[in-house]
Coordinates of all heavy atoms in Angstrom, one line a residue:
M736 N 42.5 163.4 142.4 CA 42.0 162.7 143.6 C 41.2 161.4 143.3 O 41.3 160.4 144.0 CB 41.2 163.6 144.5 CG 42.0 164.7 145.1 SD 43.3 164.1 146.3 CE 42.3 163.7 147.6
V751 N 41.6 154.2 151.8 CA 41.8 155.4 151.1 C 40.6 155.9 150.3 O 40.3 157.1 150.4 CB 43.1 155.3 150.2 CG1 43.2 156.5 149.3 CG2 44.3 155.1 151.0
P752 N 39.8 155.1 149.6 CA 38.6 155.6 149.0 C 37.6 156.2 150.0 O 37.0 157.2 149.7 CB 38.0 154.4 148.3 CG 39.2 153.5 148.0 CD 40.1 153.7 149.1
L753 N 37.5 155.6 151.2 CA 36.7 156.1 152.2 C 37.2 157.5 152.7 O 36.4 158.5 152.8 CB 36.6 155.2 153.4 CG 35.8 155.7 154.6 CD1 34.3 155.9 154.3 CD2 36.0 154.7 155.8
I754 N 38.4 157.7 152.9 CA 39.0 158.9 153.3 C 38.8 160.0 152.3 O 38.4 161.1 152.6 CB 40.5 158.8 153.7 CG1 40.7 157.9 154.9 CG2 41.2 160.1 153.9 CD1 42.1 157.5 155.2
I755 N 39.1 159.7 151.0 CA 38.9 160.6 149.9 C 37.4 161.0 149.8 O 37.1 162.2 149.6 CB 39.4 160.1 148.6 CG1 41.0 160.0 148.7 CG2 39.0 160.9 147.4 CD1 41.6 159.3 147.5
W756 N 36.5 160.1 149.9 CA 35.1 160.4 149.8 C 34.7 161.3 151.0 O 33.9 162.2 150.7 CB 34.3 159.1 149.8 CG 32.8 159.3 149.8 CD1 32.1 160.0 148.9 CD2 31.9 158.9 150.8 NE1 30.7 160.0 149.2 CE2 30.6 159.3 150.4 CE3 32.0 158.1 152.0 CZ2 29.4 159.0 151.1 CZ3 30.8 157.8 152.7 CH2 29.6 158.3 152.2
L757 N 35.1 161.0 152.2 CA 34.8 161.9 153.3 C 35.3 163.3 153.2 O 34.7 164.3 153.6 CB 35.2 161.2 154.6 CG 34.5 160.0 155.0 CD1 35.1 159.3 156.2 CD2 33.0 160.2 155.3
I758 N 36.5 163.4 152.6 CA 37.2 164.7 152.5 C 36.6 165.5 151.3 O 36.4 166.7 151.4 CB 38.7 164.6 152.3 CG1 39.3 164.0 153.6 CG2 39.4 165.9 151.9 CD1 40.8 163.7 153.5
K759 N 36.3 164.9 150.2 CA 36.0 165.5 149.0 C 34.5 165.4 148.6 O 34.1 165.3 147.4 CB 36.8 165.0 147.8 CG 38.3 165.4 147.9 CD 38.4 166.8 147.7 CE 39.9 167.2 147.6 NZ 40.1 168.6 147.3
K760 N 33.6 165.4 149.6 CA 32.2 165.2 149.3 C 31.6 166.4 148.5 O 30.6 166.3 147.8 CB 31.4 165.1 150.6 CG 31.4 163.8 151.2 CD 30.5 163.7 152.4 CE 30.4 162.3 152.9 NZ 29.5 162.2 154.1
D761 N 32.3 167.6 148.6 CA 31.7 168.7 147.9 C 32.0 168.7 146.4 O 31.3 169.3 145.6 CB 32.3 170.0 148.5 CG 33.8 170.0 148.5 OD1 34.4 169.0 148.6 OD2 34.4 171.1 148.5
D762 N 33.1 168.0 145.9 CA 33.4 167.8 144.5 C 32.6 166.6 144.0 O 32.9 165.5 144.3 CB 34.9 167.7 144.3 CG 35.3 167.7 142.9 OD1 34.5 167.2 142.0 OD2 36.4 168.2 142.6
I765 N 34.8 163.7 142.0 CA 35.7 163.0 143.0 C 34.9 162.1 144.0 O 35.2 161.0 144.2 CB 36.6 163.9 143.7 CG1 37.6 164.6 142.7 CG2 37.4 163.2 144.8 CD1 38.4 165.7 143.2
A766 N 33.8 162.7 144.5 CA 33.0 162.0 145.5 C 32.3 160.8 144.8 O 32.3 159.7 145.4 CB 31.9 162.9 146.0
A769 N 35.1 158.1 144.2 CA 35.6 157.6 145.5 C 34.5 156.6 146.0 O 34.9 155.5 146.6 CB 35.8 158.7 146.5

Side-chain angles (χ1 to χ4, degrees):
M736 291 300 284
V751 170
L753 176 62
I754 292 170
I755 291 174
W756 178 57
L757 292 173
I758 292 173
K759 292 292 189 175
K760 280 188 176 180
D761 55 333
D762 188 326
I765 294 173

